[in-house]
Amino acid sequence: MTFLFFSTLSETYQYAKIDLNQNERRDFMKYPNLLERFLTYVKVNTRSDETSTTTPSTQSQVDFANNVLIPEMKRVGLENVYYLPNGFAIGTLPANDPSFTRKIGFISHMDTADFNAKNIQPQVIENYDGGVIPLGQSGFNLDPADFASLHKYKGQTLITTDGTTLLGADDKSGIAEIMTAIEYLSAHPEIKHGEIRVGFGPDEEIGVGADKFDAEDFNVDFAYTVDGGPLGELQYETFSAAGAELTFQGRNVHPGTAKDQMINALQLAIDFHNQLPEADRPEKTEGYQGFYHLMNLTGTVEEAQASYIIRDFETNAFENRKATMRTIADKMNQELGSERINLTLKDQYYNMKQVIEKDMTPITIAKAVMESLDIQPIIEPIRGGTDGSKISFMGIPTPNLFAGGENMHGRFEYVSLETMERAVDTIIGIVSYQEK
């Protein structure tokens, strides 16, 4: 296999240039700009910040939208391109055939997750031989013994990290795929389609990106987030999600004379946690099984804080999980004889199946297109959430399409160029689909 390394992106945000001799140059098939476009995007640090009070949460996302995405949206043929205060870059490819009456949207997010995103140096492995891939000089490897998904990609072109950062395929692969599909459609007017709306947004990774999405402005019949994983993923079920913040108020006295006087706030937090169902944790659940996930626990004897996320697919089960936490807090306060445990619950998003199952048209179309492309649709629930969860409840049914990323959110992240190409095929197939 051949390893190719790329220098950092220039300040002018020109495409990352691939400098190969003729024997090394890959056949880029019909999407010659896809790889270079993706490499250009991932080199820009757009990590979001959950502690921020601004929208977008980081200036780097604002700069990426205005300096990189919006100029390119115009170059690939989108019209009426603009940037909204909510952080979304929006554009339209007008219909070229009046018989296509549906307006379809495609959405991806520009931020990356909470892992090092500074000085991303992707490496490209052509004709992957199925073996261990050294991640730069970091000492870390992508090893099929650890990551069985690699077995699917022998002979393909993989883009990986150098082991010191994440890659950013979540979700810059989606952005690159949407942009490439628009570029191809603009260059091939013989492919008939209806109106296409494109939206690139901020802060999905911290769960607030779609909170201010303007569904009325976007104005489509349905949309897709291009934010999934491996080839064929087509998802219209997500967790319903809530966050739980707990404060435990203790009473600190000298441990030598603590009997019947000390109330250890940290011990209260442990006691609370131990009353949750022991098996209902992310590391012990799969499929449609929900969970409680302790995200953070800090404090002293005097005061402690704990943060949880709550996830479940079914509405009743989701409500029961929140009720369980309330019951535990009330019971402990009653036993303590005072209000020493304060629980705040906040719903974050809901299972978009509740909206999409009322009209399965976007799923029916995407499934038919994939099958026509010899892609096996993988219709499974997302054990997480996407912007599509919130946007669906705003009135635009928005399932999720594969974008190709594997091992997302860390140094072992990678993506197959061939899968990205197939995502472009799928987008083009969806917008040009006509019922028979």
Side-chain angles (χ1 to χ4, degrees):
M1 56 187 174
T2 303
F3 286 73
L4 311 173
F5 297 90
F6 298 88
S7 61
T8 56
L9 185 69
S10 71
E11 291 183 0
T12 55
Y13 298 108
Q14 298 300 310
Y15 277 164
K17 297 301 181 183
I18 303 176
D19 185 16
L20 307 178
N21 63 44
Q22 193 62 37
N23 292 330
E24 291 176 319
R25 185 168 294 279
R26 181 184 182 279
D27 177 6
F28 287 102
M29 297 185 285
K30 58 185 175 182
Y31 306 127
N33 291 327
L34 178 58
L35 177 58
E36 293 177 278
R37 177 173 282 127
F38 175 67
L39 294 172
T40 297
Y41 295 166
V42 298
K43 288 172 180 290
V44 185
N45 179 0
T46 54
R47 179 174 173 177
S48 48
D49 179 7
E50 65 180 355
T51 67
S52 172
T53 59
T54 64
T55 301
S57 66
T58 52
Q59 182 62 36
S60 61
Q61 294 180 77
V62 178
D63 294 342
F64 181 61
N66 286 288
N67 298 335
V68 181
L69 295 185
I70 285 180
E72 184 155 19
M73 291 167 76
K74 295 175 181 178
R75 283 198 298 270
V76 300
L78 288 167
E79 300 179 9
N80 189 27
V81 176
Y82 53 92
Y83 182 72
L84 291 169
N86 63 11
F88 276 81
I90 306 292
T92 302
L93 189 66
N96 62 5
D97 185 330
S99 69
F100 287 79
T101 58
R102 293 191 186 99
K103 293 187 284 187
I104 302 176
F106 294 92
I107 299 166
S108 290
H109 65 88
M110 63 186 84
D111 67 315
T112 59
D114 56 345
F115 194 84
N116 182 28
K118 294 180 180 179
N119 194 29
I120 293 175
Q121 298 289 331
Q123 56 182 25
V124 177
I125 296 90
E126 294 197 318
N127 192 25
Y128 170 54
D129 64 10
V132 175
I133 302 173
L135 298 179
Q137 305 299 314
S138 67
F140 293 98
N141 298 314
L142 268 176
D143 189 336
D146 299 321
F147 304 105
S149 61
L150 285 164
H151 292 300
K152 298 182 292 186
Y153 297 108
K154 187 174 181 179
Q156 298 190 25
T157 295
L158 301 184
I159 303 101
T160 78
T161 76
D162 69 352
T164 64
T165 68
L166 49 62
L167 179 61
D170 181 12
D171 188 26
K172 288 170 181 171
S173 59
I175 298 176
E177 290 153 7
I178 293 170
M179 203 81 83
T180 301
I182 296 297
E183 180 178 55
Y184 191 83
L185 290 165
S186 296
H188 293 270
E190 70 275 11
I191 301 175
K192 302 305 179 183
H193 59 82
E195 182 177 306
I196 303 167
R197 294 277 277 165
V198 169
F200 302 126
D203 294 336
E204 190 270 351
E205 298 293 359
I206 59 174
V208 299
D211 288 351
K212 299 179 182 179
F213 181 78
D214 191 337
E216 183 177 354
D217 173 77
F218 203 57
N219 189 27
V220 295
D221 294 295
F222 55 82
Y224 299 88
T225 49
V226 186
D227 189 22
L231 179 68
E233 283 192 351
L234 172 58
Q235 300 154 322
Y236 69 96
E237 297 181 72
T238 60
F239 282 132
S240 289
E245 297 294 331
L246 287 121
T247 301
F248 302 89
Q249 191 62 52
R251 182 169 62 207
N252 193 11
V253 298
H254 191 285
T257 58
K259 183 173 173 56
D260 298 328
Q261 297 184 75
M262 177 186 287
I263 299 174
N264 189 331
L266 286 167
Q267 185 62 52
L268 292 179
I270 293 169
D271 292 344
F272 181 97
H273 184 75
N274 287 342
Q275 293 181 67
L276 294 170
E278 192 274 338
D280 289 10
R281 303 175 186 174
E283 63 268 32
K284 296 186 177 184
T285 56
E286 62 183 353
Y288 283 95
Q289 297 172 321
F291 57 74
Y292 305 90
H293 181 30
L294 178 61
M295 299 284 289
N296 187 54
L297 175 61
T298 59
T300 63
V301 172
E302 190 73 23
E303 185 175 278
Q305 296 82 32
S307 297
Y308 288 82
I309 60 172
I310 304 166
R311 301 289 188 266
D312 217 304
F313 287 94
E314 298 301 327
T315 300
N316 288 341
F318 178 58
E319 295 300 326
N320 287 340
R321 289 191 182 280
K322 293 184 288 183
T324 294
M325 297 195 93
R326 293 189 192 99
T327 298
I328 295 171
D330 291 344
K331 175 175 171 286
M332 290 181 67
N333 280 329
Q334 185 175 5
E335 291 171 349
L336 290 163
S338 60
E339 297 290 319
R340 292 190 173 274
I341 301 167
N342 180 265
L343 168 64
T344 302
L345 289 163
K346 182 179 180 181
D347 287 356
Q348 297 168 326
Y349 58 85
Y350 303 105
N351 188 347
M352 61 187 177
K353 177 184 177 181
Q354 299 172 38
V355 174
I356 295 173
E357 68 181 353
K358 296 175 183 177
D359 182 356
M360 294 287 282
T361 298
I363 302 301
T364 301
I365 291 174
K367 182 174 181 290
V369 168
M370 287 186 194
E371 290 171 344
S372 73
L373 294 169
D374 293 323
I375 298 171
Q376 178 62 47
I378 304 172
I379 303 177
E380 296 177 342
I382 307 172
R383 287 183 61 80
T386 73
D387 283 341
S389 301
K390 294 181 179 179
I391 294 170
S392 291
F393 281 89
M394 294 176 180
I396 300 176
T398 307
N400 192 44
L401 292 175
F402 70 94
E406 298 266 15
N407 301 343
M408 292 179 281
H409 295 190
R411 72 179 83 249
F412 299 108
E413 184 182 4
Y414 71 95
V415 66
S416 156
L417 180 59
E418 283 79 358
T419 300
M420 292 179 65
E421 291 169 337
R422 300 295 269 161
V424 178
D425 290 340
T426 301
I427 294 168
I428 294 171
I430 287 171
V431 301
S432 59
Y433 180 86
Q434 285 276 51
E435 289 89 351
K436 297 178 180 177

